[in-house]
Amino acid sequence: MTELRFNLVETVAFATAILWLGMFLRKRISFLSKYNIPAPVIGGVIFALASWALKDSFSFNFDMLVKDPLMITFFTSIGLAASFKMLKQGGPQVFIFLMIASVLVILQDVLAVALSYATGIHPLLGMLAGSITMSGGHGTGAVYANLFEKQYGLAGGMELAMAAATFGLVMGSILGGPVARRIIERNHLAKSHLNPDEMTYETVDESLDAASDGPVSASVLMTTLMQITIAMSAGASSTRNWSRSAYSFPRICARSSSASLSAT
């Protein structure tokens, strides 16, 4: 077997190429765009299948040094896009949605653990197929799978987390897309210049671009980077003592949550 080793720069370049492949395919394949399958997932699934097919001939060894910092940066940027003004504009519906979503998250974990005991598998594996991946996605699944494998010796956690997150994303898109389109059509929620049958990430992006402030300048880019790094630093400072807590909580999730709140 030939081992293909990638240093830090090569790893970032390879990941960028996989991301570009996902973006390219989403634009060319209407099904992927119609049901809003994210480009990173498209490219990642293709690479996972290719890696699996070549597992007897090649192995891939990537430098994952910047994985955690980049994941924290990603979650921080989500908080940066939020504001209390947006929450105020949402009104009571935002809090109603929060309560419903919270109940569903709890039910996901209850069902996952119950099915684990019913089928005779480890309950932590069931948790990885519960709200960790169904609500948290690939990033959260990878973090908790790593935690479970290191601290509790859980075998196969990462593979299950990625499979569950991908399944949840694809099924959520397949089921959610038609349901959302039906609600939009029934309640006449679509803008007059957008056809509900043609509404994808691309059409929404184009409508947002038209109302944007124009191209991003160097000053705006540097200001945004400064805000993100300050929020990440604040999040790191607020979680330094969490490791001494009686509860096991992945440091990256703690820092991401704190950084997102700081950015907000």
Side-chain angles (χ1 to χ4, degrees), residues 46-105:
I46 292 176
F47 172 72
L49 293 175
S51 178
W52 174 75
L54 300 173
K55 65 181 183 351
D56 294 330
S57 302
F58 298 95
S59 64
F60 297 88
N61 190 329
F62 296 104
D63 189 332
M64 308 298 287
L65 179 63
V66 297
K67 183 190 73 172
D68 287 356
L70 289 180
M71 289 180 66
I72 296 175
T73 302
F74 167 73
F75 289 114
T76 304
S77 67
I78 296 177
L80 192 67
S83 67
F84 291 106
K85 181 179 179 181
M86 293 177 60
L87 291 176
K88 185 177 180 181
Q89 290 177 344
Q93 291 85 351
V94 175
F95 296 98
I96 294 175
F97 176 80
L98 175 62
M99 296 303 298
I100 295 175
S102 300
V103 171
L104 289 177
V105 166

Side-chain angles (χ1 to χ4, degrees), residues 68-82 220-236 255-256 258-264:
D68 287 356
L70 289 180
M71 289 180 66
I72 296 175
T73 302
F74 167 73
F75 289 114
T76 304
S77 67
I78 296 177
L80 192 67
V220 172
L221 176 61
M222 295 304 298
T223 301
T224 303
L225 289 176
M226 179 186 67
Q227 293 173 334
I228 290 176
T229 53
I230 290 176
M232 290 172 62
S233 299
R255 289 187 175 183
S256 298
S258 299
S260 296
L261 292 174
S262 300
T264 303

Side-chain angles (χ1 to χ4, degrees), residues 16-28 32 37-44 46:
T16 304
I18 295 297
L19 174 61
W20 179 88
L21 175 62
M23 295 171 63
F24 175 81
L25 292 177
R26 194 178 70 177
K27 290 182 178 180
R28 295 296 185 276
L32 299 175
I37 306 298
V41 174
I42 298 172
I46 292 176

Side-chain angles (χ1 to χ4, degrees), residues 143-144 147 242 248-255:
V143 171
Y144 274 93
L147 173 69
W242 285 25
S248 295
F249 193 64
R251 184 172 58 180
I252 183 175
C253 288
R255 289 187 175 183

